Amino acid sequence: RRFPTVELRAETFNGPAHVPVPSDSAFLRALLVELRLVDQHVFLEQRDTCTRISHSSVHSVSTAAGELWPVLAFHRSGLIYACVPLVEGSLEPRPPLLSVSGLSQGLALLLGIMDYVSPSRKNEAELKAKVGQLRNLLIQACPLGTPLNTNIRSLSSSFEDIQEMPADKDQPAWRSSSYKGKPQVNVCITEKVKCMQYDQRDVVDTWQVYGAVNCKCDIEGSAPNVTLSLTLPTNAPPLQDIVVHHCVTSVDPAMLVSTSAEPLHDSVYSGPYKFPFIPPSESFDLCYYTSQVPVPPILGCYQLVEEGSQIKITVNLKLHESIKNSFEYCEARIPFFNRGPIAQLEHKVSYGQLDLSREKSLLVWVIGQKFPKSLEVSLTGTLSFGTAGKEHPTDYVCTGNTTYVKLYFRIPDFTLTGCYVDQRSVQIFVPGKPKITASRELISSDYYIWNSKAPAPMVYKPL
């Protein structure tokens, strides 16, 4: 899809350095060359020279009119996702990537398209139908070339509920359809915790928490006003790095400048976290945040030692006493790369059940929905391996004894920060008593416990 208004703006902003976007066929050919999907065995100086080593998805595509930059493109599951973001300024010298706001907008839009298209990539007819609907969906998501809603999956593929002209001049552009019925608001706080644990004296363990507040507001009216508040327990660490949706009408500026890059001090913003907004018609993320929580939810220790032809492993996990002991699921996966299939396994678990994957290269320790009263579980085992074949997993980082345990869990009705939405604090300025539903959850994301008997990739190393 092309936006002539955006191309005209690019010509005005970029001045003499402006390179027009070529025809679709010429652009596709140039992009395939740049992504090394054609002519990959041919040395092309403009692409393969050492000065053009690319560490990101931002490319410079060689066209007949010159180098077209920036082109945001990546290749996933047999499909190419690409867009040409607008640079609001001169291209000479090239501005830093972080200063080009169109890049983050374009990436969010492409990821939204990928999220919408990719589940059906194995069914060709379904994929064709979804790609056919994309043009209509982009009219809603990106009407004049600026992404207004990057959650493509939440949009309607028909135009029946899209108003040609807003009935009310006060209706914002992001409310593309009108709702009729009983008012209701659904709010879900999802926190994800990332963790790297080493169990070594000279290496500091790291963990990070990322939160997102998702809302779906079914409310009548062209521009309904809603106010939602996030609440923290007493003495809880404050929310930081807060990013709000464009529909939020006003917030305390101190809320937005509180950053995790600086150490916590007395002047840090600690609430109240109030968000007045005019909601879009579809589901959307009201805000994102981080927080510096004092402890990770599960502390672990993993030891792997080779003794002759056998490997001995020990895994100890402890749930912190402040964490809700009620999981939807909790399991630890222990991969064995570059070794061949597990031929022999003797093990003992203090709790839960240990399974061996079909390809016999992964142990899955299903802990279940609760830790025992002691809040501690352990696994010991002795393994021996068969001959490695081509079908067995390999990994260039985890070689020898450098390996890890990866945890997967979800705790419903719980957040690590303690953050929650008080349903009584949700204000909706419309007639009728709205139904308000609030939920929260904690999910693991890249939660690693490295073998303490071997060197591991470091996230942070003391000076």
PDB file of all heavy atoms in Angstrom, residues 19 23 35-36 70-71 82 129 157 165 276 342-343 360 374 386-387 393 400 403 406 412 429 441 446:
ATOM      1  N   VAL A  19      15.068   9.989  -2.316  1.00  0.00           N
ATOM      2  CA  VAL A  19      15.055   8.923  -3.324  1.00  0.00           C
ATOM      3  C   VAL A  19      13.629   8.385  -3.387  1.00  0.00           C
ATOM      4  O   VAL A  19      13.111   7.885  -2.382  1.00  0.00           O
ATOM      5  CB  VAL A  19      16.030   7.776  -2.959  1.00  0.00           C
ATOM      6  CG1 VAL A  19      15.918   6.628  -3.957  1.00  0.00           C
ATOM      7  CG2 VAL A  19      17.457   8.293  -2.899  1.00  0.00           C
ATOM      8  N   SER A  23       8.786   1.354  -8.538  1.00  0.00           N
ATOM      9  CA  SER A  23       7.578   0.561  -8.773  1.00  0.00           C
ATOM     10  C   SER A  23       7.608  -0.692  -7.898  1.00  0.00           C
ATOM     11  O   SER A  23       8.666  -1.124  -7.436  1.00  0.00           O
ATOM     12  CB  SER A  23       7.491   0.156 -10.247  1.00  0.00           C
ATOM     13  OG  SER A  23       8.550  -0.748 -10.560  1.00  0.00           O
ATOM     14  N   LEU A  35      18.036  -8.644   1.019  1.00  0.00           N
ATOM     15  CA  LEU A  35      17.814  -9.639   2.079  1.00  0.00           C
ATOM     16  C   LEU A  35      18.506 -10.975   1.789  1.00  0.00           C
ATOM     17  O   LEU A  35      18.308 -11.944   2.517  1.00  0.00           O
ATOM     18  CB  LEU A  35      16.308  -9.876   2.268  1.00  0.00           C
ATOM     19  CG  LEU A  35      15.488  -8.696   2.781  1.00  0.00           C
ATOM     20  CD1 LEU A  35      14.018  -9.049   2.842  1.00  0.00           C
ATOM     21  CD2 LEU A  35      15.974  -8.257   4.151  1.00  0.00           C
ATOM     22  N   ARG A  36      19.286 -11.019   0.692  1.00  0.00           N
ATOM     23  CA  ARG A  36      20.026 -12.221   0.292  1.00  0.00           C
ATOM     24  C   ARG A  36      19.112 -13.412   0.008  1.00  0.00           C
ATOM     25  O   ARG A  36      19.450 -14.563   0.280  1.00  0.00           O
ATOM     26  CB  ARG A  36      21.054 -12.611   1.367  1.00  0.00           C
ATOM     27  CG  ARG A  36      22.189 -11.611   1.508  1.00  0.00           C
ATOM     28  CD  ARG A  36      23.166 -12.017   2.610  1.00  0.00           C
ATOM     29  NE  ARG A  36      24.352 -11.180   2.587  1.00  0.00           N
ATOM     30  CZ  ARG A  36      24.411  -9.964   3.136  1.00  0.00           C
ATOM     31  NH1 ARG A  36      23.342  -9.466   3.731  1.00  0.00           N
ATOM     32  NH2 ARG A  36      25.515  -9.259   3.079  1.00  0.00           N
ATOM     33  N   PRO A  70      15.432   4.814   5.169  1.00  0.00           N
ATOM     34  CA  PRO A  70      15.516   3.468   5.725  1.00  0.00           C
ATOM     35  C   PRO A  70      14.390   2.579   5.199  1.00  0.00           C
ATOM     36  O   PRO A  70      13.265   3.041   5.019  1.00  0.00           O
ATOM     37  CB  PRO A  70      15.318   3.724   7.223  1.00  0.00           C
ATOM     38  CG  PRO A  70      14.423   4.927   7.282  1.00  0.00           C
ATOM     39  CD  PRO A  70      14.737   5.758   6.059  1.00  0.00           C
ATOM     40  N   VAL A  71      14.710   1.317   4.956  1.00  0.00           N
ATOM     41  CA  VAL A  71      13.694   0.322   4.614  1.00  0.00           C
ATOM     42  C   VAL A  71      13.687  -0.701   5.749  1.00  0.00           C
ATOM     43  O   VAL A  71      14.714  -1.336   6.026  1.00  0.00           O
ATOM     44  CB  VAL A  71      14.000  -0.371   3.272  1.00  0.00           C
ATOM     45  CG1 VAL A  71      12.982  -1.478   3.010  1.00  0.00           C
ATOM     46  CG2 VAL A  71      13.988   0.640   2.139  1.00  0.00           C
ATOM     47  N   ALA A  82       7.687  -5.703   5.149  1.00  0.00           N
ATOM     48  CA  ALA A  82       8.521  -4.536   4.848  1.00  0.00           C
ATOM     49  C   ALA A  82       7.702  -3.259   4.807  1.00  0.00           C
ATOM     50  O   ALA A  82       6.517  -3.267   4.465  1.00  0.00           O
ATOM     51  CB  ALA A  82       9.231  -4.732   3.505  1.00  0.00           C
ATOM     52  N   ALA A 129      -6.793 -15.655   2.059  1.00  0.00           N
ATOM     53  CA  ALA A 129      -7.952 -14.867   2.488  1.00  0.00           C
ATOM     54  C   ALA A 129      -7.523 -13.732   3.413  1.00  0.00           C
ATOM     55  O   ALA A 129      -7.989 -12.596   3.281  1.00  0.00           O
ATOM     56  CB  ALA A 129      -8.962 -15.769   3.179  1.00  0.00           C
ATOM     57  N   SER A 157     -12.819  -6.917   9.518  1.00  0.00           N
ATOM     58  CA  SER A 157     -12.445  -7.017   8.103  1.00  0.00           C
ATOM     59  C   SER A 157     -13.548  -6.522   7.174  1.00  0.00           C
ATOM     60  O   SER A 157     -13.367  -6.443   5.972  1.00  0.00           O
ATOM     61  CB  SER A 157     -12.100  -8.472   7.755  1.00  0.00           C
ATOM     62  OG  SER A 157     -13.212  -9.298   8.022  1.00  0.00           O
ATOM     63  N   MET A 165     -18.353   9.022   7.781  1.00  0.00           N
ATOM     64  CA  MET A 165     -18.043  10.320   8.385  1.00  0.00           C
ATOM     65  C   MET A 165     -18.498  10.274   9.837  1.00  0.00           C
ATOM     66  O   MET A 165     -19.605   9.834  10.122  1.00  0.00           O
ATOM     67  CB  MET A 165     -18.796  11.457   7.657  1.00  0.00           C
ATOM     68  CG  MET A 165     -18.185  11.824   6.321  1.00  0.00           C
ATOM     69  SD  MET A 165     -16.585  12.618   6.485  1.00  0.00           S
ATOM     70  CE  MET A 165     -17.067  14.207   7.143  1.00  0.00           C
ATOM     71  N   PRO A 276      -6.637   9.264  32.385  1.00  0.00           N
ATOM     72  CA  PRO A 276      -7.893   9.637  31.734  1.00  0.00           C
ATOM     73  C   PRO A 276      -7.759   9.436  30.221  1.00  0.00           C
ATOM     74  O   PRO A 276      -6.732   9.792  29.640  1.00  0.00           O
ATOM     75  CB  PRO A 276      -8.033  11.135  32.074  1.00  0.00           C
ATOM     76  CG  PRO A 276      -6.663  11.594  32.405  1.00  0.00           C
ATOM     77  CD  PRO A 276      -5.816  10.419  32.752  1.00  0.00           C
ATOM     78  N   ILE A 342      19.230 -39.001  24.453  1.00  0.00           N
ATOM     79  CA  ILE A 342      19.447 -39.547  25.798  1.00  0.00           C
ATOM     80  C   ILE A 342      19.159 -41.051  25.741  1.00  0.00           C
ATOM     81  O   ILE A 342      18.049 -41.479  25.426  1.00  0.00           O
ATOM     82  CB  ILE A 342      18.525 -38.857  26.822  1.00  0.00           C
ATOM     83  CG1 ILE A 342      18.893 -37.371  26.935  1.00  0.00           C
ATOM     84  CG2 ILE A 342      18.610 -39.533  28.180  1.00  0.00           C
ATOM     85  CD1 ILE A 342      17.917 -36.534  27.737  1.00  0.00           C
ATOM     86  N   ALA A 343      20.181 -41.861  26.007  1.00  0.00           N
ATOM     87  CA  ALA A 343      20.040 -43.323  25.904  1.00  0.00           C
ATOM     88  C   ALA A 343      19.637 -43.934  27.239  1.00  0.00           C
ATOM     89  O   ALA A 343      18.907 -44.925  27.290  1.00  0.00           O
ATOM     90  CB  ALA A 343      21.355 -43.936  25.417  1.00  0.00           C
ATOM     91  N   LYS A 360      14.206 -37.062  22.445  1.00  0.00           N
ATOM     92  CA  LYS A 360      15.135 -37.520  23.486  1.00  0.00           C
ATOM     93  C   LYS A 360      16.337 -36.590  23.662  1.00  0.00           C
ATOM     94  O   LYS A 360      17.475 -37.034  23.864  1.00  0.00           O
ATOM     95  CB  LYS A 360      15.610 -38.947  23.191  1.00  0.00           C
ATOM     96  CG  LYS A 360      14.476 -39.960  23.201  1.00  0.00           C
ATOM     97  CD  LYS A 360      14.971 -41.381  23.074  1.00  0.00           C
ATOM     98  CE  LYS A 360      13.813 -42.370  23.178  1.00  0.00           C
ATOM     99  NZ  LYS A 360      14.239 -43.754  23.059  1.00  0.00           N
ATOM    100  N   SER A 374       7.146 -26.696  51.821  1.00  0.00           N
ATOM    101  CA  SER A 374       8.511 -26.177  52.031  1.00  0.00           C
ATOM    102  C   SER A 374       8.889 -25.122  51.001  1.00  0.00           C
ATOM    103  O   SER A 374       9.883 -24.409  51.161  1.00  0.00           O
ATOM    104  CB  SER A 374       9.511 -27.330  51.956  1.00  0.00           C
ATOM    105  OG  SER A 374       9.515 -27.887  50.639  1.00  0.00           O
ATOM    106  N   GLY A 386      23.445 -41.381  23.339  1.00  0.00           N
ATOM    107  CA  GLY A 386      23.776 -42.181  22.164  1.00  0.00           C
ATOM    108  C   GLY A 386      24.538 -41.339  21.145  1.00  0.00           C
ATOM    109  O   GLY A 386      24.964 -40.217  21.427  1.00  0.00           O
ATOM    110  N   THR A 387      24.676 -41.863  19.950  1.00  0.00           N
ATOM    111  CA  THR A 387      25.410 -41.165  18.892  1.00  0.00           C
ATOM    112  C   THR A 387      24.552 -40.038  18.313  1.00  0.00           C
ATOM    113  O   THR A 387      23.366 -40.227  18.021  1.00  0.00           O
ATOM    114  CB  THR A 387      25.791 -42.143  17.759  1.00  0.00           C
ATOM    115  OG1 THR A 387      26.450 -43.257  18.345  1.00  0.00           O
ATOM    116  CG2 THR A 387      26.703 -41.469  16.744  1.00  0.00           C
ATOM    117  N   PRO A 393      19.123 -31.516  18.062  1.00  0.00           N
ATOM    118  CA  PRO A 393      19.362 -30.071  18.163  1.00  0.00           C
ATOM    119  C   PRO A 393      20.815 -29.734  18.467  1.00  0.00           C
ATOM    120  O   PRO A 393      21.492 -30.435  19.218  1.00  0.00           O
ATOM    121  CB  PRO A 393      18.472 -29.624  19.328  1.00  0.00           C
ATOM    122  CG  PRO A 393      17.546 -30.754  19.592  1.00  0.00           C
ATOM    123  CD  PRO A 393      18.181 -31.985  19.066  1.00  0.00           C
ATOM    124  N   GLY A 400      29.417 -28.004  25.367  1.00  0.00           N
ATOM    125  CA  GLY A 400      30.032 -28.599  26.546  1.00  0.00           C
ATOM    126  C   GLY A 400      29.108 -28.492  27.741  1.00  0.00           C
ATOM    127  O   GLY A 400      27.918 -28.796  27.666  1.00  0.00           O
ATOM    128  N   THR A 403      25.268 -24.854  29.821  1.00  0.00           N
ATOM    129  CA  THR A 403      23.872 -25.172  29.522  1.00  0.00           C
ATOM    130  C   THR A 403      22.983 -24.563  30.593  1.00  0.00           C
ATOM    131  O   THR A 403      23.473 -23.954  31.538  1.00  0.00           O
ATOM    132  CB  THR A 403      23.682 -26.697  29.417  1.00  0.00           C
ATOM    133  OG1 THR A 403      22.333 -26.979  29.062  1.00  0.00           O
ATOM    134  CG2 THR A 403      24.000 -27.388  30.740  1.00  0.00           C
ATOM    135  N   LYS A 406      15.428 -23.762  31.734  1.00  0.00           N
ATOM    136  CA  LYS A 406      14.541 -22.648  31.405  1.00  0.00           C
ATOM    137  C   LYS A 406      13.179 -22.909  32.051  1.00  0.00           C
ATOM    138  O   LYS A 406      12.601 -23.991  31.881  1.00  0.00           O
ATOM    139  CB  LYS A 406      14.396 -22.493  29.889  1.00  0.00           C
ATOM    140  CG  LYS A 406      13.673 -21.203  29.487  1.00  0.00           C
ATOM    141  CD  LYS A 406      13.684 -20.991  27.979  1.00  0.00           C
ATOM    142  CE  LYS A 406      13.002 -19.673  27.610  1.00  0.00           C
ATOM    143  NZ  LYS A 406      12.948 -19.467  26.154  1.00  0.00           N
ATOM    144  N   PRO A 412      -2.018 -16.834  37.695  1.00  0.00           N
ATOM    145  CA  PRO A 412      -3.177 -15.964  37.501  1.00  0.00           C
ATOM    146  C   PRO A 412      -3.487 -15.153  38.763  1.00  0.00           C
ATOM    147  O   PRO A 412      -3.133 -15.547  39.876  1.00  0.00           O
ATOM    148  CB  PRO A 412      -4.315 -16.944  37.175  1.00  0.00           C
ATOM    149  CG  PRO A 412      -3.872 -18.254  37.708  1.00  0.00           C
ATOM    150  CD  PRO A 412      -2.376 -18.253  37.769  1.00  0.00           C
ATOM    151  N   PHE A 429     -17.870   8.360  32.474  1.00  0.00           N
ATOM    152  CA  PHE A 429     -18.847   9.448  32.481  1.00  0.00           C
ATOM    153  C   PHE A 429     -19.905   9.210  31.405  1.00  0.00           C
ATOM    154  O   PHE A 429     -19.976   9.912  30.402  1.00  0.00           O
ATOM    155  CB  PHE A 429     -18.123  10.785  32.297  1.00  0.00           C
ATOM    156  CG  PHE A 429     -17.069  11.011  33.354  1.00  0.00           C
ATOM    157  CD1 PHE A 429     -15.730  10.722  33.112  1.00  0.00           C
ATOM    158  CD2 PHE A 429     -17.424  11.450  34.615  1.00  0.00           C
ATOM    159  CE1 PHE A 429     -14.768  10.900  34.089  1.00  0.00           C
ATOM    160  CE2 PHE A 429     -16.460  11.639  35.611  1.00  0.00           C
ATOM    161  CZ  PHE A 429     -15.131  11.364  35.347  1.00  0.00           C
ATOM    162  N   GLU A 441      -2.051 -11.079  35.774  1.00  0.00           N
ATOM    163  CA  GLU A 441      -1.314 -12.336  35.634  1.00  0.00           C
ATOM    164  C   GLU A 441       0.179 -12.059  35.588  1.00  0.00           C
ATOM    165  O   GLU A 441       0.611 -10.972  35.195  1.00  0.00           O
ATOM    166  CB  GLU A 441      -1.753 -13.072  34.350  1.00  0.00           C
ATOM    167  CG  GLU A 441      -1.494 -12.290  33.086  1.00  0.00           C
ATOM    168  CD  GLU A 441      -1.977 -12.973  31.817  1.00  0.00           C
ATOM    169  OE1 GLU A 441      -2.463 -14.107  31.889  1.00  0.00           O
ATOM    170  OE2 GLU A 441      -1.848 -12.349  30.735  1.00  0.00           O
ATOM    171  N   ASP A 446      11.849 -15.762  29.026  1.00  0.00           N
ATOM    172  CA  ASP A 446      13.317 -15.920  29.035  1.00  0.00           C
ATOM    173  C   ASP A 446      13.840 -16.037  30.468  1.00  0.00           C
ATOM    174  O   ASP A 446      14.662 -15.245  30.917  1.00  0.00           O
ATOM    175  CB  ASP A 446      13.991 -14.739  28.310  1.00  0.00           C
ATOM    176  CG  ASP A 446      13.629 -14.676  26.846  1.00  0.00           C
ATOM    177  OD1 ASP A 446      13.309 -15.729  26.286  1.00  0.00           O
ATOM    178  OD2 ASP A 446      13.643 -13.579  26.271  1.00  0.00           O
TER     179      ASP A 446
END
